[in-house]
Amino acid sequence: MYESFPRISRLPPYVFNIVNDLKASARARGEDIVDFGMGNPDRPTPRHIVDKLVEVAQRPDTHRYSVSRGIPRLRRAICNWYRRRYQVDLDPDSEAIVTIGSKEGLAHLALATMERGDAVLVPNPAYPIHPYGFVIAGADIRHVPLVGESGDFFAELEQAIRNSWPRPKMLVLNFPANPTARCVELGFFEQVVAIAREHQIWVVHDLAYADIVFDGYRAPSIMQVPGATEIAVESFSLSKSYNMPGWRVGFMVGNQTLIAALARMKSYLDYGMFTPIQVAAIAALDGPQDCVEEIREVYRRRRDVLCDGLAAAGWAVEKPKATMFVWAKIPEQYADLGSLEFSKRLLIDAKVAASPGIGFGEYGDDHVRFGLIENEHRTRQAVRGIRQMLRRGVAA
Ligand SMILES: Cc1ncc(COP(=O)(O)O)c(C=O)c1O
């Protein structure tokens, strides 16, 4: 059907749609499905941010086209956020850009920088825009396996660099990671920057889960590494930290050449976000941060209910130190099914929707991902359904 649209034909059918379709049919039959499928925050945006949007939207002077790279005050707020959190100094004019959600920024950075046939290193499993932003731009993906907490990422990375021709142009990273919830310390980024400088590879780091951290863990920024701005950019999203997924606000900071390339691309494609949204984003970044603590606490409690409940039901899963996801290894007795069939079983037998790991890449096929977007009560209901399914056993 898409033979004459090569860019579209390079995009495989969305695996998640298979589970989504089954979920929709089950719901149409009247079944109550507990849905952990998507990383779509379920709680409202904090009041003071919504109020700021409403206030500014009342002003007629805010209704015109905005500024594609973001209004200067928001870019200054972004740089202040970096200084407060990470003691990193960035120039709001040349080292920061506002994006229409971080997804938009990542995809258009790929389009701005990639030529057909360029090689890009992307961990596998990964959040789909990390490989597919680059696939859409015409690049070839070199997968770097990201398996197990103990897997040697750097050995895999060096091997992928050695085996790649043409030489990889860019490396995409995301820690705390979606879907694996894997976390790193600052030393990890120091090593990344050293390798990237040695091989002259640009680095794009997605820090979407910077605030969704638990048990005392603090997520480092790659910008904390001296010299990082020579080769790296980092993106952040307000979607998770401030429950603003529908608003589409994010930003990217770091290397001036990459930021300028993205700004140039965006100047042809958009007129920037609605100004009241940008002013509300300033209220989020500069305003009281206790709402972030509350949001974090909601995810932590749900995480504990899900992980402790599954463990009690006989399915031991690792408790993530960060993100809004539980990356659960498929129980031994179901391992042969693979993640798509196992997700179907969860849906039909336990009335629970989870994302099959294969949707994030072939190295994810022995896991499923639970997004912590159902409240504690419904999470308990899901655990009961799963416990009953496990009791009935594989043959059921
Ligand atoms: C790792 C990661 N990056 C980016 C995004 C999307 O963020 P935004 O809403 O800013 O586009 C998500 C959303 O799930 C994500 O998990």
Side-chain angles (χ1 to χ4, degrees):
M1 168 184 179
Y2 293 126
E3 300 84 45
S4 56
F5 304 151
R7 191 162 295 117
I8 299 292
S9 63
R10 284 201 297 277
L11 298 175
Y14 214 44
V15 179
F16 303 121
N17 283 345
I18 300 172
V19 180
N20 283 343
D21 290 348
L22 281 175
K23 183 176 71 191
S25 325
R27 283 183 167 160
R29 287 194 300 273
E31 290 176 18
D32 180 13
I33 303 293
V34 184
D35 188 2
F36 298 107
M38 201 181 165
N40 188 355
D42 57 309
R43 310 254 304 177
T45 306
R47 187 80 245 164
H48 68 282
I49 302 172
V50 178
D51 286 347
K52 182 55 81 178
L53 170 79
V54 172
E55 177 199 320
V56 180
Q58 307 280 5
R59 280 179 18 209
D61 63 329
T62 62
H63 297 173
R64 308 186 69 191
Y65 291 128
S66 194
V67 184
S68 171
R69 55 174 25 229
I71 57 174
R73 251 191 344 117
L74 177 51
R75 281 185 275 122
R76 282 200 295 278
I78 290 164
C79 295
N80 290 339
W81 185 88
Y82 262 93
R83 197 170 306 111
R84 269 197 315 273
R85 291 174 67 111
Y86 300 114
Q87 294 75 53
V88 169
D89 276 316
L90 295 161
D91 172 29
D93 289 330
S94 60
E95 294 179 319
I97 185 167
V98 177
T99 59
I100 307 174
S102 49
K103 212 174 171 187
E104 181 270 330
L106 293 166
H108 284 146
L109 178 70
L111 203 57
T113 56
M114 290 295 132
E115 185 55 86
R116 210 183 161 83
D118 279 345
V120 178
L121 299 159
V122 186
N124 183 328
Y127 176 59
I129 198 66
H130 296 156
Y132 287 109
F134 290 88
V135 168
I136 291 168
D140 289 334
I141 305 302
R142 307 277 185 265
H143 296 280
V144 187
L146 183 67
V147 285
E149 199 59 40
S150 55
D152 188 345
F153 180 76
F154 288 107
E156 300 283 1
L157 179 62
E158 297 265 15
Q159 191 180 342
I161 294 171
R162 268 198 311 277
N163 293 343
S164 175
W165 188 261
R167 194 167 56 77
K169 194 167 180 178
M170 213 171 251
L171 163 66
V172 184
L173 294 174
N174 163 223
F175 295 103
N178 176 9
T180 64
R182 186 149 161 189
C183 296
V184 297
E185 300 296 336
L186 186 56
F188 178 93
F189 288 134
E190 287 167 355
Q191 216 168 327
V192 166
V193 169
I195 292 173
R197 286 168 102 172
E198 180 192 339
H199 296 281
Q200 296 183 356
I201 301 171
W202 296 113
V203 181
V204 181
H205 178 237
D206 179 345
L207 186 58
Y209 295 99
D211 284 316
I212 314 301
V213 291
F214 319 114
D215 310 333
Y217 172 70
R218 295 183 68 170
S221 155
I222 196 169
M223 291 297 135
Q224 289 172 278
V225 180
T229 52
E230 285 170 31
I231 44 98
V233 285
E234 185 164 77
S235 68
F236 181 73
S237 166
L238 275 71
S239 302
K240 313 298 162 114
S241 300
Y242 301 96
N243 281 340
M244 295 170 72
W247 296 54
R248 315 308 302 128
V249 195
F251 53 80
M252 192 176 279
V253 302
N255 180 268
Q256 296 186 359
T257 307
L258 293 180
I259 297 292
L262 177 57
R264 180 79 176 265
M265 179 57 73
K266 280 173 65 61
S267 73
Y268 278 85
L269 296 177
D270 69 67
Y271 286 117
M273 253 176 293
F274 187 39
T275 299
I277 294 181
Q278 299 198 46
V279 178
I282 298 171
L285 296 176
D286 282 353
Q289 299 296 299
D290 40 349
C291 55
V292 181
E293 181 58 40
E294 279 162 30
I295 289 166
R296 188 167 30 239
E297 199 43 30
V298 165
Y299 289 125
R300 187 196 62 74
R301 283 203 303 270
R302 291 176 181 179
R303 173 200 72 166
D304 289 350
V305 169
L306 182 62
C307 293
D308 295 345
L310 290 180
W315 182 3
V317 300
E318 210 171 305
K319 248 187 204 184
K321 276 192 300 190
T323 79
M324 57 190 292
F325 304 110
V326 171
W327 183 239
K329 183 140 200 238
I330 299 173
E332 201 55 49
Q333 65 270 34
Y334 294 92
D336 289 348
L337 292 180
S339 61
L340 183 56
E341 286 309 311
F342 180 65
S343 300
K344 289 185 193 169
R345 287 286 183 101
L346 278 177
L347 195 96
I348 293 160
D349 296 343
K351 312 289 177 230
V352 168
S355 298
I358 186 81
F360 305 97
E362 71 213 79
Y363 290 94
D365 200 22
D366 52 357
H367 283 71
V368 290
R369 190 196 73 176
F370 293 93
L372 298 169
I373 52 163
E374 292 273 18
N375 65 31
E376 289 172 56
H377 173 71
R378 287 187 55 79
T379 302
R380 282 195 195 91
Q381 176 181 325
V383 167
R384 280 195 298 277
I386 292 171
R387 189 189 319 126
Q388 282 159 15
M389 168 179 148
L390 294 177
R391 275 211 196 117
R392 284 195 299 272
V394 179

